[in-house]
Amino acid sequence: MKTVHTDVLIIGTGFGAAAPALRLAQAGAKVTMIEKGPRVQTADFRQTSDPRYLLKYLRGTPGDHLSLTYAEALGGGSGFYEMVSLRAPSVAFDQLDAQGHRLWPEGLDRAALDPYYDLAERMLHVSQIPLAEVPKTGLVFAQLMKNLGYSVDRARYAVRGCQGSGFCVTGCVYGAKQSLFLNYLPQAVEAGAEIETDLEALSVQPLAHPHPRAWLTLGETPYRYQVICQRRTGERERLRFVARVVILGGGTVGTATLLLRSRTYLPLLSEHVGRNIAYNGSVKVAGLLPDGFPDADMFTGRTHPGMISYHFLQSHGITVHGVKAQPLMIVSAARMKLEGHRRVSGWWGEPNVELMQQMRHRMIVLAAFGLTPPGAALDVSEDGRARVVLPLDAALERYHADTRQLLESILLRNGCRLVETDFLDKQFEPEQGVHFSTAHQVGSCRMAERKADGVVTSNGEVFDYPGLYVSDGAVIPSSLSVNTSLTILANAERIAAGIIDRYRPSSRAPAR
Amino acid sequence: MRDLTRRQLLQHLGLITAGLAVACTPLKVLTSAYPQAFDDDAELTDGVLRAFALTVIPSAPAGDPDLARAFTDPDLPFAPYAGFFASDLARRAGNRFETPFERLDVAQRAAVIREALAADGTTQKLYGSAILLAQVAFYAGIYDDKRGCELIGFEGGYHWHPLAAITHPDPARFLPEALTADGNYS
């Protein structure tokens, strides 16, 4: 097995991995990144509904009452996200657990993250959508809220020169969306980082060595971990990376799965690995606009329709959004029929065609993202397959029912007709009971002040494993009520700054 | 046994399991015994599957060459069941109307499908999946990036729209009060 030595090995290339790679490479460390998914760039993207294309990059983790979606490709989810880039509101950082303890570690709040949000926003060219570019669906959503006296704000996006094609989630063919392979990753490479794709980390193993003196510089730090990897193409060759510092940035599912697979080698890991997953309790409802209401447009304009309402954040712990989606996503996500439709075959046949013909201009979908507690857990089988389990309790059922009722009331009080939506599971069967689906999963290896409460310190270092860090969404300890990418990136910038401060790579000894 | 084809073996297994409660029967077993013609005669199967798609989406153009393509697309998970599915439609149509499924009118075909959707769990799953596949393939236009679906006004990819077509004029009139200066809530 070939062995590669590096100062810092970073697993993953998404929002949690890109910032440490860039900052550590700029600081003089020899950085190697490995990515399980394929290399991808703007020219590889298509404006398509071809499931084969989407399944090349997108993955799902099914489960009980919750299902997760994420991407496996260079740049992680950044190639396929809606580019919504919002700072988490203060109330998200102030959430308490069932015992009344703050979920976020002491001293970590919005004010502490703001300098890193600034940095991340500059890197991704984040700005508020100009009023003149708000898509029709966003304006219709604003009108629905305005009619009821509710506030709405223009959202913020990581984009330059948006063409409004409506295909954000299949990858921006114009290179307008600020995916990480347009900024962080090439800058990291320019600073000396190396990136390998189609390479999966199988296990992380500590190397036996004398306990190091505290506060060694990076160059003085011994090689402390080996990571066994396997190529996902060709001969499926195995490689061994040996590193002084290892940073896990493979995402909430990927990082927890890797650590759980490595537990044999890392017996002191916290029992919280794979647990405490938060998911922004997403609830969706759909309706048809009443006659006389301006047209929406489900298919054109940026995928996220430009507007967010914080009106219910303090009172209900939710933000409310309009939602746009391509036919592929809508049809494969839910069986839809007009509420009260008498024909049994409402989700197919002529009634369904009539509904589908109204989808583009007359259908409005609302979603709420909520501060639901971090109650889900990953269950990883011996063959590495993960499922997510979300125990339902009365409070969560009540949250779902109340939130749905609120969203439906917004539609009904505007004169909309409701569209029944039976959301489908991975086998395209209607989900039974309450079910959440999200791409905003965080927290499987959460930060905590004590090992009894989490997996990593507030600096991202795994308890009892010096030099082993987690820097991705897995460390975020709570739901955020807004899209998670900017917070993951800002927190990764913060963790990267801490690692640089700790190891001072620029004062490293000459390479061996 | 050495001369037994895979197809015959599957049929044999299907007969052995015929006594099992159908609701508990795995799809792989249930679909192993059906007339060979639905695997051998692509035209026969295609005709039935096209009629099925036109029942699920009655306004779809009958001449659409891709209408039933997804059912037998080897890259999609339904293909192994396509032959059985077509045969099951034919069997149910024969039992109920004594007419091949593809020759029934829309209402009769819909009745056949409704009957299957009310049958055992495995059959429900098979028919539910087939309906979804027909809808996804047609409405999303999965076989041509640029084509979309004219019936629902979906243009597909690579159609550029000027800003005026994406938004409404005088957008300020839609907006209520905002709570933030820049979109970030503190």
Side-chain angles (χ1 to χ4, degrees):
Chain A
M1 185 164 33
K2 182 182 168 187
T3 297
V4 178
H5 285 78
T6 187
D7 287 342
V8 180
L9 179 68
I10 300 178
I11 297 169
T13 57
F15 288 107
L22 174 58
R23 302 307 169 199
L24 282 156
Q26 286 176 329
K30 177 176 168 51
V31 173
T32 304
M33 303 181 84
I34 59 171
E35 167 59 52
K36 187 177 180 182
R39 192 167 289 271
V40 67
Q41 55 185 333
T42 298
D44 296 318
F45 290 141
R46 288 166 55 190
Q47 294 187 347
T48 185
S49 298
D50 183 349
R52 282 161 291 212
Y53 167 84
L54 295 166
L55 292 173
K56 184 176 174 186
Y57 302 114
L58 301 182
R59 298 284 179 271
T61 297
D64 300 336
H65 308 298
L66 177 64
S67 51
L68 314 176
T69 302
Y70 48 95
E72 283 180 4
L74 184 68
S78 72
F80 305 93
Y81 75 141
E82 291 183 330
M83 65 197 185
V84 181
S85 302
L86 294 164
R87 301 186 184 203
S90 294
V91 65
F93 297 91
D94 296 336
Q95 293 171 87
L96 307 177
D97 65 16
Q99 285 72 46
H101 302 127
R102 202 167 175 271
L103 286 170
W104 286 73
E106 180 74 28
L108 256 184
D109 55 16
R110 169 66 179 273
L113 266 193
D114 268 338
Y116 301 101
Y117 276 128
D118 289 343
L119 192 54
E121 286 189 342
R122 279 199 301 275
M123 287 293 295
L124 298 186
H125 305 281
V126 173
S127 62
Q128 193 174 27
I129 185 173
L131 179 56
E133 294 180 21
V134 176
K136 288 178 181 175
T137 292
L139 295 174
V140 165
F141 166 65
Q143 182 74 64
L144 291 170
M145 300 298 276
K146 181 181 181 181
N147 288 348
L148 303 175
Y150 302 149
S151 65
V152 166
D153 284 76
R154 282 180 287 129
R156 298 170 66 81
Y157 300 88
V159 66
R160 286 203 296 182
C162 181
Q163 300 294 304
S165 69
F167 280 85
C168 301
V169 295
T170 64
C172 182
V173 300
Y174 303 105
K177 178 166 70 178
Q178 292 300 292
S179 302
L180 296 170
F181 51 77
L182 296 176
N183 35 68
Y184 274 92
L185 297 179
Q187 289 183 38
V189 169
E190 194 175 334
E194 294 179 357
I195 303 176
E196 292 227 33
T197 54
D198 296 300
L199 189 60
E200 179 177 10
L202 302 177
S203 65
V204 179
Q205 305 171 15
L207 297 170
H209 58 78
H211 200 278
R213 283 184 296 115
W215 306 113
L216 294 175
T217 64
L218 187 62
E220 297 166 337
T221 300
Y223 291 106
R224 289 188 289 192
Y225 294 95
Q226 65 174 3
V227 176
I228 307 301
C229 302
Q230 184 169 31
R231 294 206 185 279
R232 303 183 89 198
T233 55
E235 299 295 313
R236 301 182 69 80
E237 169 197 16
R238 286 203 173 196
L239 283 83
R240 172 176 173 259
F241 285 88
V242 176
R244 305 175 201 275
V245 169
V246 172
I247 301 174
L248 307 183
T252 294
V253 175
T255 290
T257 302
L258 178 58
L259 281 178
L260 289 170
R261 275 187 195 157
S262 306
R263 197 185 274 286
T264 308
Y265 308 106
L266 303 169
L268 300 179
L269 274 181
S270 164
E271 62 181 22
H272 286 276
V273 175
R275 293 161 55 180
N276 312 305
I277 295 173
Y279 49 92
N280 262 358
S282 171
V283 178
K284 302 177 190 77
V285 303
L288 293 182
L289 294 167
D291 292 342
F293 223 87
D295 272 351
D297 193 335
M298 193 67 88
F299 304 148
T300 63
R302 60 185 70 180
T303 302
H304 187 275
M307 310 298 288
I308 175 173
S309 175
Y310 296 109
H311 192 90
F312 299 99
L313 184 58
Q314 297 294 343
S315 60
H316 293 66
I318 60 171
T319 60
V320 181
H321 310 242
V323 174
K324 292 170 63 217
Q326 301 281 349
L328 177 74
M329 284 73 177
I330 290 184
V331 175
S332 59
R335 289 179 181 173
M336 295 187 303
K337 60 182 178 182
L338 278 173
E339 192 181 56
H341 210 291
R342 288 182 182 175
R343 272 185 275 187
V344 177
S345 58
W347 56 278
W348 57 275
E350 197 59 52
N352 181 256
V353 172
E354 290 168 13
L355 184 59
M356 291 298 294
Q357 286 178 312
Q358 298 187 73
M359 177 190 288
R360 176 167 182 176
H361 293 301
R362 305 308 297 172
M363 187 178 288
I364 187 83
V365 179
L366 303 184
F369 297 159
L371 295 172
T372 42
L378 277 182
D379 180 11
V380 181
S381 63
E382 284 188 8
D383 64 1
R385 291 188 185 186
R387 279 183 61 78
V388 62
V389 178
L390 175 64
L392 275 187
D393 59 20
L396 200 52
E397 291 194 74
R398 192 165 58 247
Y399 161 82
H400 191 276
D402 290 350
T403 304
R404 185 181 172 122
Q405 187 178 37
L406 173 64
L407 297 181
E408 288 181 348
S409 82
I410 292 171
L411 297 179
L412 290 171
R413 283 182 288 152
N414 274 284
C416 297
R417 287 182 74 189
L418 294 182
V419 175
E420 282 185 28
T421 47
D422 289 333
F423 291 98
L424 303 175
D425 65 17
K426 199 179 178 188
Q427 296 183 319
F428 304 119
E429 289 287 298
E431 297 282 4
Q432 302 300 313
V434 171
H435 189 88
F436 298 95
S437 60
T438 189
H440 297 168
Q441 59 274 7
V442 292
S444 59
C445 303
R446 72 180 180 190
M447 293 182 284
E449 287 162 35
R450 305 177 310 148
K451 185 177 173 183
D453 296 327
V455 177
V456 302
T457 68
S458 60
N459 293 327
E461 194 167 36
V462 176
F463 285 113
D464 291 329
Y465 288 100
L468 178 60
Y469 289 84
V470 181
S471 61
D472 56 29
V475 303
I476 303 292
S478 76
S479 292
L480 302 176
S481 74
V482 294
N483 305 59
T484 50
S485 58
L486 193 71
T487 299
I488 294 169
L489 181 57
N491 191 56
E493 287 276 16
R494 185 188 65 82
I495 289 173
I499 295 172
I500 290 169
D501 189 45
R502 160 68 182 80
Y503 288 97
R504 290 166 288 140
S506 57
S507 58
R508 68 193 292 276
R512 294 180 193 176
Chain B
M1 191 71 175
R2 192 178 54 191
D3 296 324
L4 200 65
T5 64
R6 178 179 169 277
R7 159 111 208 130
Q8 288 167 326
L9 179 63
L10 289 171
Q11 285 178 337
H12 181 64
L13 288 171
L15 291 172
I16 289 173
T17 57
L20 295 174
V22 176
C24 304
T25 307
L27 207 53
K28 278 181 186 170
V29 175
L30 180 70
T31 58
S32 63
Y34 58 92
Q36 181 102 27
F38 288 95
D39 275 353
D40 295 344
D41 187 344
E43 200 172 329
L44 169 69
T45 301
D46 185 64
V48 174
L49 295 176
R50 292 179 72 81
F52 173 79
L54 285 168
T55 316
V56 172
I57 310 160
S59 310
D64 182 344
D66 292 333
L67 203 54
R69 182 173 165 188
F71 295 115
T72 52
D73 184 337
D75 289 336
L76 298 179
F78 197 83
Y81 311 113
F84 169 79
F85 179 63
S87 78
D88 195 63
L89 285 164
R91 182 182 63 79
R92 290 176 186 278
N95 288 347
R96 182 157 180 168
F97 298 109
E98 296 181 343
T99 305
F101 181 78
E102 63 275 23
R103 291 192 207 153
L104 299 176
D105 64 32
V106 174
Q108 290 171 318
R109 295 197 306 259
V112 170
I113 295 170
R114 274 198 296 273
E115 177 190 280
L117 287 170
D120 60 273
T122 306
T123 305
Q124 282 180 30
K125 194 171 189 167
L126 181 68
Y127 276 70
S129 301
I131 290 171
L132 182 99
L133 185 58
Q135 292 173 326
V136 164
F138 178 72
Y139 291 129
I142 65 172
Y143 289 110
D144 184 341
D145 290 355
K146 295 180 181 176
R147 185 173 134 188
C149 176
E150 190 178 348
L151 183 65
I152 62 168
F154 174 51
E155 294 157 313
Y158 305 100
H159 296 276
W160 186 82
H161 299 90
L163 186 57
I166 292 171
T167 187
H168 284 298
D170 187 18
R173 69 193 155 103
F174 292 87
L175 300 191
E177 170 202 15
L179 291 184
T180 74
D182 63 1
N184 282 320
Y185 189 87
S186 58

